[in-house]
Amino acid sequence: MHIRRSLRRSRTGVTLLSLAALLVSGCSAAKTTSSPGSTAVAALVALPQATPSALAPYYGQKLSWRGCGVPGFQCATLKAPLDYAEPGAGDVRLAVVRKRATGPGKRLGSLLVNPGGPGGSAVGYVQQYAGIGYPAEVRARYDMVAADPRGVARSEPVECLDGRQMDRYTQTDTTPDDQREKDQLITAYKGFAEGCGAHSPKLLRHVSTVEAARDMDILRAVLGDRKLAYVGASYGTFLGATYAGLFPDRVGRLVLDGAMDPSLPARRLNLDQTAGFETAFQSFAKDCAQRSDCPLGRKGTAPAKVGENLKAFFRRLDARPIPTGDPDGRRLGESLATTGVIAAMYDESTWDQLREALTSAIKGKDGAGLLALSDSYYERDADGRYANLMAANAAVNCLDLPTAFSTPDQVEKAVPSFEKASPVFGEGLAWASLNCAYWPVMPTGQPHRIEAKGAAPIVVVGTTRDPATPYRWARSLARQLSSARLLTYDGDGHTAYGRGSACIDSAIDTYLLHGTPPTKGKSCR
């Protein structure tokens, strides 16, 4: 049960390099400032405090709550304008779920949560984890609430490819060895983009993080909360920080766990994340080499050699995929195996599972274990159906930020720097950064700082060996936000809250329940 829940949290909070350039949003700009280690970038500008009259019907709507198949939870549909620049041009309908505060104690309002992605279902996250697994004291005082962002899961999902097409797409070789394989990869990226454009042409232009943050403010008002209380993980931190930048006067208690840095361009974000996966893999390799059952070396093997052995295994799979027993005939090639390993980097509790899967694949020529990890990452079920996680992920990423690379030649020139960042994963992650180059909708965003001047204290949480959101991003976001307090978890895995550190959990619970942020410089193990 613990592994299942951890996997759930990992894959819904992941920043998905396997499909898209990373995830930063559009913004409006008014001034230019400097971000540590980056060129000058514009700062996100707060919206006027007064609600525009054209949006009044949205802010004044009443939700009709109903049962939705999960005991203790209620569901409703929220309307938001498809295009905030033209509120009369049509609506987007957003799925909302809540679980009422259980008591005892005075109700503190609604606590909105988002697990990340972009593309992770917040509704599913509340029903399957947060609404039943958050600390009892928090659930006693807050209504636990979530809305799937526009284009995600139950909220008019972006659609791109069917299950069979996704199977072929996820097996595409992302470490091309010759021109034929490069052409196949480019064709796959173009086909995915064309599918999204054909199935969701109107919505595809309106799934930016800025629009999703504005939707959250409508939900806050409709729920009757004067200020927003929020816990966001991974990409959810960027969504929450964007809200704070747009509505600093409406910030209540915000926790941003596994923080993004919105001031960086896509190429830098991808390179940083590649290095993050290498850091996580080195931790796994050290642990693996201390165990007698490590399939990547004998006991005491140096971590660098463990990585070389894994890379050699990937090369063998590239030449000759192995059986998996999959009823749809999928074999385990390099791409699916790499995704399976990456999936296990998000939570150290899955390392045992990864060792077993690698042992079966390397010694038994059975790829079922790694395929299962890969399927969990892509949210593919046993019937071959995919959730819309990957489609929504690409749609938001490619709209939020200009592509990291525009041509294959640019990728080839950058591969050495990615391989330096991660000898194991670098080449594949460099090529994976190309897909937004073929997106049918032009990006609306640029890198930007978020300052949120005048906001109440915001807690930014960073994990020192986080694979997907490197610790340096948390430090940078904490420096940008005018009222931020950085909370550090010295540990492995993606995000920190609810993952076993009593120190982290106590600090965040105290903030959520009493409004007292952690002391400056607080660090936990």
Side-chain angles (χ1 to χ4, degrees):
M1 181 64 182
H2 175 66
I3 290 178
R4 181 181 178 86
R5 191 179 74 183
S6 297
L7 275 173
R8 176 75 191 169
R9 297 198 66 198
S10 296
R11 71 175 183 268
T12 55
V14 63
T15 56
L16 295 164
L17 267 166
S18 59
L19 271 183
L22 277 170
L23 32 95
V24 192
S25 169
C27 62
S28 57
K31 61 179 180 178
T32 299
T33 54
S34 294
S35 174
S38 69
T39 57
V41 292
L44 185 67
V45 175
L47 292 171
Q49 292 189 21
T51 300
S53 58
L55 297 180
Y58 295 102
Y59 276 82
Q61 66 187 291
K62 303 294 183 183
L63 293 181
S64 178
W65 294 102
R66 61 190 183 278
C68 46
V70 181
F73 292 87
Q74 298 173 304
C75 291
T77 300
L78 179 78
K79 290 183 182 179
L82 177 66
D83 184 352
Y84 277 91
E86 296 184 40
D91 299 336
V92 60
R93 296 173 180 270
L94 308 177
V96 183
V97 66
R98 76 175 176 186
K99 187 178 184 186
R100 300 302 297 267
T102 58
K106 181 181 178 182
R107 181 181 173 277
L108 294 174
S110 305
L111 179 62
L112 191 64
V113 298
N114 183 282
S121 173
V123 170
Y125 179 71
V126 164
Q127 291 179 324
Q128 297 172 32
Y129 174 68
I132 56 177
Y134 263 36
E137 296 87 350
V138 174
R139 291 183 286 116
R141 306 286 299 281
Y142 285 99
D143 290 348
M144 300 296 297
V145 178
D148 282 342
R150 50 178 63 205
V152 173
R154 299 164 177 85
S155 294
E156 300 193 18
V158 170
E159 297 180 357
C160 299
L161 303 179
D162 63 26
R164 291 288 187 181
Q165 292 170 327
M166 279 297 297
D167 279 347
R168 291 192 292 272
Y169 183 72
T170 58
Q171 293 177 76
T172 305
D173 187 356
T174 56
T175 57
D177 299 316
D178 53 34
Q179 189 59 48
R180 181 182 65 84
E181 292 186 348
K182 291 175 190 174
D183 291 342
Q184 288 175 343
L185 181 59
I186 292 167
T187 298
Y189 286 153
K190 288 181 177 178
F192 186 90
E194 289 168 1
C196 297
H199 288 101
S200 304
K202 186 181 293 186
L203 182 63
L204 216 58
R205 302 177 185 277
H206 296 289
V207 292
S208 72
T209 299
V210 162
E211 289 164 311
R214 297 190 71 173
D215 295 342
M216 289 204 309
D217 195 56
I218 293 176
L219 178 58
R220 172 204 59 78
V222 171
L223 291 170
D225 293 315
R226 190 172 63 86
K227 293 182 179 289
L228 179 75
Y230 175 83
V231 177
S234 194
Y235 164 79
T237 69
F238 181 61
L239 182 59
T242 300
Y243 180 90
L246 295 173
F247 306 103
D249 58 305
R250 299 171 193 172
V251 168
R253 298 169 189 178
L254 262 62
V255 177
L256 308 179
D257 183 13
M260 294 294 305
D261 181 356
S263 72
L264 300 178
R267 190 177 304 191
R268 169 67 184 277
L269 285 166
N270 285 10
L271 195 59
D272 281 358
Q273 194 180 55
T274 299
F277 279 111
E278 183 65 24
T279 297
F281 178 76
Q282 289 296 313
S283 290
F284 166 76
K286 290 176 184 177
D287 180 79
C288 188
Q290 294 172 6
R291 301 174 184 273
S292 59
D293 65 342
C294 181
L296 297 171
R298 298 178 179 177
K299 195 169 184 178
T301 301
K305 181 60 176 175
V306 172
E308 291 174 8
N309 292 340
L310 180 60
K311 188 69 174 176
F313 169 61
F314 287 159
R315 285 195 293 268
R316 294 196 297 273
L317 291 178
D318 189 33
R320 185 173 296 178
I322 62 175
T324 63
D326 177 59
D328 294 314
R330 291 179 301 159
R331 297 171 70 85
L332 185 77
E334 181 181 14
S335 291
L336 290 177
T338 301
T339 302
V341 173
I342 283 176
M345 293 299 100
Y346 286 86
D347 192 325
E348 64 274 23
S349 70
T350 64
W351 289 357
D352 290 349
Q353 184 180 353
L354 176 59
R355 283 199 318 278
E356 293 173 6
L358 285 168
T359 299
S360 294
I362 294 170
K363 298 182 179 181
K365 298 295 186 289
D366 178 3
L370 284 173
L371 182 64
L373 283 167
S374 178
D375 284 350
S376 75
Y377 185 86
Y378 288 125
E379 292 196 349
R380 181 193 192 272
D381 67 22
D383 294 323
R385 294 186 298 261
Y386 288 76
N388 96 305
L389 171 65
M390 306 307 291
N393 180 267
V396 176
N397 288 340
C398 296
L399 192 62
D400 271 353
L401 197 69
T403 182
F405 301 107
S406 299
T407 67
D409 287 344
Q410 291 178 351
V411 177
E412 289 185 319
K413 290 177 182 177
V415 163
S417 62
F418 276 74
E419 290 185 318
K420 182 178 180 181
S422 175
V424 177
F425 306 115
E427 182 185 6
L429 295 183
W431 281 101
S433 306
L434 182 62
N435 84 311
C436 283
Y438 308 106
W439 203 244
V441 176
M442 293 297 294
T444 58
Q446 293 289 337
H448 59 278
R449 289 171 55 83
I450 299 179
E451 298 172 354
K453 290 185 177 179
I458 299 171
V459 175
V460 176
V461 188
T463 299
T464 56
R465 293 181 293 282
D466 192 313
T469 52
Y471 179 63
R472 67 171 65 184
W473 292 355
R475 288 187 299 179
S476 179
L477 181 61
R479 285 192 292 260
Q480 292 171 46
L481 291 168
S482 62
S483 62
R485 192 67 57 86
L486 178 62
L487 175 62
T488 298
Y489 174 50
D490 184 3
D492 296 295
H494 184 41
T495 72
Y497 186 43
R499 296 191 64 249
S501 169
C503 175
I504 289 288
D505 292 353
S506 175
I508 293 176
D509 292 346
T510 298
Y511 169 68
L512 290 175
L513 294 171
H514 305 291
T516 305
T519 57
K520 208 174 246 189
K522 185 173 180 62
S523 181
C524 299
R525 289 182 178 271

